[in-house]
Amino acid sequence: MTGRARARTRARARGQETGPPGLVRSREAGAVAAVPSESELFGRGRQKGTPGAAAQEAVQHISVGFQRVKLGERGGRRCDFHDAGVNTRQAMEHVKDSKTGTTGSAIQLTANYMRIISRPQWALYQYHVDYKPQMEARRLRSALLFQHEETLGSARSFDGAVLFLPHKLPIKETVLHSETRHGEKVQITVTLTNELPPTSPVCLQFYNIIFRRILRMLNMQQIGRNYYSPNDPLNIPQHRLTIWPGFSTAILQYEKSIMLNTDVSHKVLRSETVLDLMLNLRHKCGDQRFAEACAKELIGVVVLTKYNNKTYRIDDIAWDHTPTNTFKRGDAEVSFKEYYKTQYSLDITDSNQALLVSHVKRMGPPGAAPPGPAMLIPEFCYLTGMTDKMRADYNIMKDLATHTRLDPERRQGRLNRFISNINDNADAQAELNTWGLGFENQLLTLTGRVLPGERISQGSRMFEYNPWQADWSREMRGVPLISSPALTTWLLLYTRRNTNEAQALLQGLHKVTGPLGIRMDRPVMIEYEDHQESLLRALQHNVGPQVQMVVVVLPSNRKDKYDSIKKYLCVDCPTPSQCVLSRTLSKPQTIMTVATKIALQMSCKMGGELWSVEIPLKTLMIVGIDCYHDTSCGKRSIGALVASLNQGMTRWYSKCVLQDRGQEIMDGLKMALIGALKDYLKFNDCLPSRIIIYRDGVGDGMLQSVVNYEVPQIMESIGSMGQDYMPKLTVVVVKKRINSRFFTQVNGKVTNPPPGTVIDVEVTRPEWYDFYIVSQAVRQGSVSPTHYNVVYDTSGLKPDHLQRLTYKLCHMYYNWQGVVRVPAPCQYAHKLAFLVGQSIHKVPSVHLDDYLFYL
């Protein structure tokens, strides 16, 4: 029986259908996936004897069998979300022995991790199972094997080909005899193929499978990667919203032990179905614009079908399909209406509703035919997440935050209750005991370090700030900036009804600019009519090469107006611009604060330098890279690169590239990096001797691509500047979307760690040179640390120095008078990529490369 045939067998023997009806498989089978090598597959396991035919088959089956079970439970995507097996630390001599720093004062922390406890000498034993004669159905194979519980024991995991046991059978090859219900005799040969230590990759996968079983025992439902409690919903009836509380979980090998990382998660569901939304749209738009409005509102939205607790992305609307249409199920034709009645006991009330189309990415084993689209019933699809309109509603966000934005005490309390629920659940404990596993009944405690606060240099003055607040907006008031270009020729555009707001802004600017050292002459005041064409016409007639800045007072936050201003002033007629909403200027009590922030933005958009911190390293270039996915233009990617041009990190070079889907982001950014090096040479009469690149926007499972593809591309760009030019290079991957949380105690109360807290022990990965920094302060909820992973380093900087430099750079983002979550060039790159992806959809003019025009 071939591997492909076995894969087909397993696909057929999945049991009751859980996918949506109408899922049609393509007739052309895809290419068979490459079988991973034995070393890739089994990690540090001890192979028993020379791999023969049975062992080779086991190698094949682990990829399409056991791994599929694990990944299938996570949503069916064959991707390593945790980048296991990417070992970058071994190539860096200076951190092979130790990657921990020593600077700063010690602080006791609690982290959202729990150690896994296993019995001494615990190992996982892997067996290949063979049948004579061959059995097609996986259920039958399992039933025949499990007749021998007295030999195998009750703890087992079997996917139809590979068997895992927590104990070793007496002999390497065990022959068992079973009988089918029809009296057919079957010989089963169970052959030991591998003995896996607790730290092997397959064992880590196995722990995650076992833990997911435990979550299901706690009546939790999987949605996406996380598990939620539909039986314990939090209702917000005034906004027709429901929140399912849940947890994200992952078991991995950390520095000294295998641990479970778990964090609180929430799934926001809207009480309305897609059908409700469609009926409302028909009522609002009428029949003529109904289809267009539905497509605009629904395509790209993720919905939840409560009958199977699965999420689907709506890719299209099948206007020619209704629930009365039929599809082939087995050998019979069945209508959608009949299917839902028999399968889920659900009655479809509207027989004329159009069906939704979702292109399921992958289902079934490798080598199987790719799936066709899934057809969904709008009546049974519940909308998830938030619309832009809902996010803009202050009351909705405030009410949501009371349930979802947990302060450290509530978050830690919920995690402790989760641990207690696992320990108190008899079924969960029985499952763990059967496998000889357990969890510590408390969260991990560890020691972090708090870096000293930075001194801010502004003009001729230096000052310190409150380290717990990480904000110096008060301290900088009335202090001249380092440098600011004189603003002699600029325009202020406003509508007639916003005349008062425009005058208030002008008066506020003239009051605050003097003390800040900004020379600002009176602008040319231009009144425009409140529609897009009039505004664009006013810009075209008045903006010329001599204009330094354009300020526009907007009566509303309509995206099309904002986009047209930015398109024209970033591409067609490159000029720094500042948009201000009239309601922001309507409160007299805040006008001075608003005017100060606008004056600072205007200054740095024209090349002004606001403040700096001490950077000890000379001839250093810092680079930030981030990307944004522009869904409005066929899923193009926008890559942005921002690089420092001077010693004080106060001047920056910014470049953006637009790329088609599937193209590597560094393909376009190679030329941007060369442009940055040439600009640095022009500014300093020399090239940088050291380059540190902070790469943001790296998704889960993309680390190998950065190491294998992006780093060589970066080195190639640097090499193009001359054969003799060999600067020291460091590449750091920056991740914000992580589930790690840290807490500390102040005066007996659980609270967030102070800004500047560094964690480089216990919860870091042994194969990486990585660390966490809590750089910002938050007024509400729990602070999120940022994870830094050094994937390439020839600079030889001590961990202390790199950590200090990274924290210093978090002080240099000019759009916020405080410490931000990531180094300034990463935040600048994010802002640039976001502006281009959201509003411009074109590469900005080269005349703006040396300005922070996108703040």
Side-chain angles (χ1 to χ4, degrees), residues 2 23 38 69 73 131 136 144 187 189 254 256 272 392 401 485 494 504 508 535 550 580 582 651 670 766 782 825 855:
T2 66
L23 189 65
E38 191 181 324
V69 171
E73 291 190 355
Y131 293 79
E136 291 284 325
L144 293 170
Q187 178 181 302
T189 307
Y254 294 95
K256 295 178 181 176
E272 61 179 338
Y494 61 96
L535 175 55
V550 177
V580 192
S582 60
R651 296 299 304 272
K670 271 171 68 177
S782 303
L855 286 189

Side-chain angles (χ1 to χ4, degrees), residues 9 12 90 229 275 334 439 526 558 637 656 735 777 840 853:
T9 301
R12 278 200 300 270
Q90 63 186 1
S229 299
L275 182 60
V334 61
F439 293 96
I526 299 166
R558 273 185 52 183
S637 290
C656 207
K735 283 198 84 170
I840 303 175
F853 65 93

Side-chain angles (χ1 to χ4, degrees), residues 20-21 240 269-278 298 301-316 340 346-348 353-358 374-385:
R240 299 188 69 192
L269 306 173
R270 281 137 73 182
S271 302
E272 61 179 338
T273 64
V274 172
L275 182 60
D276 295 335
L277 179 67
M278 292 173 85
L298 290 172
V301 168
V302 175
V303 295
L304 173 79
T305 49
K306 289 187 179 178
Y307 51 79
N308 60 359
N309 280 318
K310 287 187 181 293
T311 53
Y312 300 92
R313 183 185 185 276
I314 299 175
D315 295 304
D316 203 353
Y340 278 96
L346 292 172
D347 291 309
I348 295 174
Q353 58 188 301
L355 302 189
L356 309 173
V357 180
S358 178
M375 310 298 284
L376 305 170
I377 308 294
E379 190 176 336
F380 300 143
C381 294
Y382 286 83
L383 295 156
T384 69

